[in-house]
Structures are given as C-alpha cells and as structure tokens.
Amino acid sequence: MKVLHVIPSLSMSQGGPSKAVRVMELALRASGVTVHIASTDDDGPALRNKQPCSVFFELEGGQRIQFRKLFEFYKIAPSFGWWVARNAREYDLIHIHALFSFTSIAAAWAARWHGVPYVVRPLGTLNRYSVASRRPWLKRLSLVMFERRVLRHAAAVHFTSQAELDEAATLGCPMKSVVIPLGIEAGTPSDGTLLRERFPALKGARCLLYLSRLDPKKNVEGLLRAFSQCAGNWPDVKLVVAGDGAPRYVAGLKVLTDELNLADRVVWAGHIDGDLKASALAGAELFVLPSFSENFGIAAAEALMAGLPCVLGQGVAIAHDVVNAGAGVAVTPDPASIAAGLMQVMADGQVRAAMSKRAVALANDEYSAQAMGKNLVALYKGILGGLQPLPSRMAGISK
C-alpha cells in the first residue's frame, strides 16, 4: 500500500500537527505501508526551511517532498498544485491534514480527478473556536465554497476525538466520520536533572509544567493569573512555560508576568525537545494546558505517557477521557477555575501518585503509536476494500 500524506507545514513551529504526522509516518512504515509526505517549505511566519523544493529527499528515514510557499495566506504553493495534479494517481490513497489551506484543496481536487480515495484530518479547524476566530467571515465563505465539497467527497473524515467530531457535526455537512486518537511514542527514561542544570532558577523547586505553543488559544494568560492566585500557598513551586510563539505575543505574556509579580516564579524555557523535554516531563509535579480549544491535545497525551497528572481546559478534547480515567481534572478556562484545579491536584501527594499510575495506563491503552498505526491501516484497507459504512470509532481495533 502506498499512501501520500499532505500537510501545509511540517515546521515544529506548528506544534502538535507536525509532530503527529511524523509519528503517523513511523507507525505506518512499521506496519509495511509506504509513506510519502508532501508539504510546503514553511518554517513559521515569513520563514522557509533549507530543504530542497520540488524533489524527494530523505529525512528521518522517510521520503519527503516540499514546495515553495509564495504566500503566507493559506500557505499557497502553486508548484504543489501542479505536482499533485500529475502524481496523485501514483498513490493508493491520500491522507490530507488540515482544512482552509491551499494544499488541502489542491490534493482533494487531484484525488477526485484521478479517482483516488482520500481521507481528511481537519486538525480542529471545524471546532467552534477555530471557525469563530482568525478571519471568521473568510472561513465561513471558504467553508461554503470549498471545504464542504472536500468533506462530502472524502472517503473518511478522520477526527482524533469524539469531542472534535461532535463539534464538527453541528456544521451540518454530510461526511463519513471516523475517530482514531493520535498516537505518541513513549519517551526515554529521564529525571529532572537536565532541566534544572539548564535553568538554575529551578534548583530546589517543585515544578508545574506548561508545554505547548504560545498562542492566544492556549490561554496562557489565564494560567498566569491562576498561578498568581495560588503561588503564595507554594513558596517552593515554580511554573515552567515551555514553548515558542510570535515574539510580540510572548513579550506581552512576560509583561503580564511582571505585572502579577511572578517574575521570580515563572521560568520561560522556550521550545524544548529531546532529552531536555524528557527531563521536563520527568521533573514536573503536574502538567497544565488550560486551552480554550484543542482537537486532541498531543502535549497532554505526552504528559500522560510520562505519568503526569493533568489539569486541562474543558476545551481540550481528551480532557473528558482524562477525568473518566481519574488521571487529572478538567476546568473552565477562567483563572479562578484553573487555580482551583491546580490546588486540587497539588493538595495531596498520594492523590497525585494515584493519578500518575492512571495517566500511564490511559496513555498506553488509548494513545500509543502502535494502536494508532493499526487503526489507520485498518481504515485504509476498509476504504480500499469498499467497506461501507465505516465504523465511527476505531480505537478498539488494536485491543
């Protein structure tokens, strides 16, 4: 089986979506699927990476091809349109990641033209928060003109949580929906030593960890205000904020930190990965992600895999699963509720230890890369074999 994955950007500046595609690639290759990934050369706003364009190259053991973006808007890359129109028929199936993007529309059009089935993973773009923010009028127009047709003709629309599917269903667009949670790879064993060596201000401190992009959707302002409400109860606790974002936005967050008199209680770690990320996950007492909206929450799933109790915004799609498993709490995204959630988890070490065990069990059962790979292969084979209707949830296939 030969599958093309299409995504507007593989830049780590895009956070979870780019990371998820790489894990998918590894899981599918382990199952014997030939995977190619096509994207643009985007590396963040107004930036491009240094990889070659319009030719295949090997990266991390996989085959990639990327195309020069001409405009930031919709990541428009005309050369991708020409390439996919000529080459879509070389694949058994095309898996499209994101909507409201030039690459998504071009790939769907080419797939239909050549009679190749395609799967769409919306990446949360159909959630109420996403549709209502960032050019909502343009998104509504694009939804009518392009995305509805893309969704209607997809062999399957791949949602990563039931919550994401339920929100998308309110749009009233006919589609063949399937829920396959994202998979994550187990991290390497670590402790908090490297993190504290890199950031000496953490020496002797207990840590709360935020690890995600710095973006208004993530509600970091709410987290900072919540921490200011309870920091006085924990003189030995510091908040580690790990992630990058737009410079002006990050500067505003740091100004807010100063206004809240938290300058000596918040450590800005920037983007972390590899051993340092593993050390941060191992050295924290809990993980907090109070986002207004997350179609999955891959950073939260990684925290669960590392055994961290989680305090999640109710808009994080896996928050319901976390609460049901007893691995954390879900909060409304206002500072008082976030503070109450933090204090609830931090109040009792035995409660945190029990949550930690349940977190690992939940992650292994629901969010492993192996489970995701098996479910995706089953989905692809079902489509190519003419299986109709598709099951609405496939998480149980691998169990």
Side-chain angles (χ1 to χ4, degrees), residues 205-279:
R206 296 188 294 159
C207 299
L208 311 183
L209 177 64
Y210 168 95
L211 197 162
S212 194
R213 285 186 302 118
L214 301 183
D215 183 273
K217 182 180 81 167
K218 308 291 184 174
N219 193 24
V220 186
E221 295 93 337
L223 172 59
L224 292 171
R225 292 188 172 96
F227 186 56
S228 73
Q229 293 179 21
C230 47
N233 299 320
W234 312 317
D236 62 336
V237 173
K238 295 193 176 183
L239 172 64
V240 177
V241 178
D244 281 336
R248 182 176 298 180
Y249 177 68
V250 176
L253 292 176
K254 292 180 179 180
V255 168
L256 176 61
T257 303
D258 292 338
E259 292 174 351
L260 294 170
N261 297 315
L262 293 175
D264 62 340
R265 302 294 299 274
V266 177
V267 173
W268 300 91
H271 175 74
I272 62 175
D273 214 338
D275 292 342
L276 185 57
K277 177 179 174 181
S279 181

Side-chain angles (χ1 to χ4, degrees), residues 13-15 17 42 44-45 72-75 99-101 123-143 147 210 212-221 244-247 249-250 253 291-295:
S13 68
Q14 301 300 318
D42 173 74
E72 206 66 49
F73 175 71
Y74 267 44
K75 300 288 190 296
L99 290 170
F100 303 106
S101 166
L123 300 186
T125 55
L126 300 179
N127 291 359
R128 286 185 292 271
Y129 180 90
S130 178
V131 172
S133 63
R134 297 179 182 176
R135 304 189 185 98
W137 63 270
L138 183 60
K139 285 184 177 178
R140 292 190 183 97
L141 178 63
S142 182
L143 189 63
E147 274 70 26
Y210 168 95
S212 194
R213 285 186 302 118
L214 301 183
D215 183 273
K217 182 180 81 167
K218 308 291 184 174
N219 193 24
V220 186
E221 295 93 337
D244 281 336
Y249 177 68
V250 176
L253 292 176
S291 299
F292 294 111
S293 177
E294 296 281 347
N295 65 293

Side-chain angles (χ1 to χ4, degrees), residues 306-380:
L308 280 180
C310 290
V311 176
L312 305 178
Q314 291 178 348
V316 178
I318 67 171
H320 183 72
D321 292 342
V322 169
V323 172
N324 283 347
V329 299
V331 298
T332 54
D334 60 279
S337 297
I338 299 168
L342 293 174
M343 288 188 285
Q344 178 183 340
V345 177
M346 290 294 288
D348 191 324
Q350 290 184 334
V351 169
R352 287 199 305 279
M355 284 184 172
S356 176
K357 291 180 180 179
R358 297 181 194 125
V360 174
L362 173 63
N364 284 326
D365 287 346
E366 294 288 337
Y367 310 134
S368 72
Q370 293 79 8
M372 178 189 64
K374 290 178 180 179
N375 288 330
L376 286 174
V377 170
L379 173 65
Y380 296 165

Side-chain angles (χ1 to χ4, degrees), residues 82-222:
W82 289 110
W83 178 86
V84 75
R86 293 193 305 271
N87 292 280
R89 62 175 175 266
E90 302 297 325
Y91 297 90
D92 297 305
L93 183 142
I94 298 176
H95 199 144
I96 299 169
H97 304 266
L99 290 170
F100 303 106
S101 166
F102 173 82
T103 55
S104 304
I105 295 169
W109 178 88
R112 287 188 63 203
W113 179 261
H114 290 291
V116 177
Y118 66 90
V119 174
V120 177
R121 182 167 72 101
L123 300 186
T125 55
L126 300 179
N127 291 359
R128 286 185 292 271
Y129 180 90
S130 178
V131 172
S133 63
R134 297 179 182 176
R135 304 189 185 98
W137 63 270
L138 183 60
K139 285 184 177 178
R140 292 190 183 97
L141 178 63
S142 182
L143 189 63
V144 171
M145 294 180 64
F146 302 111
E147 274 70 26
R148 283 184 180 271
R149 187 174 302 172
V150 169
L151 293 166
R152 186 168 62 249
H153 292 286
V157 180
H158 172 195
F159 297 101
T160 54
S161 67
Q162 187 64 43
E164 183 191 13
L165 187 158
D166 291 343
E167 282 203 57
T170 63
L171 295 174
C173 179
M175 64 183 90
K176 303 180 185 73
S177 302
V178 61
V179 176
I180 300 178
L182 293 178
I184 55 173
E185 296 179 295
T188 55
S190 184
D191 58 29
T193 302
L194 181 60
L195 179 74
R196 286 169 171 78
E197 288 177 350
R198 186 70 59 88
F199 301 102
L202 295 174
K203 185 177 180 180
R206 296 188 294 159
C207 299
L208 311 183
L209 177 64
Y210 168 95
L211 197 162
S212 194
R213 285 186 302 118
L214 301 183
D215 183 273
K217 182 180 81 167
K218 308 291 184 174
N219 193 24
V220 186
E221 295 93 337

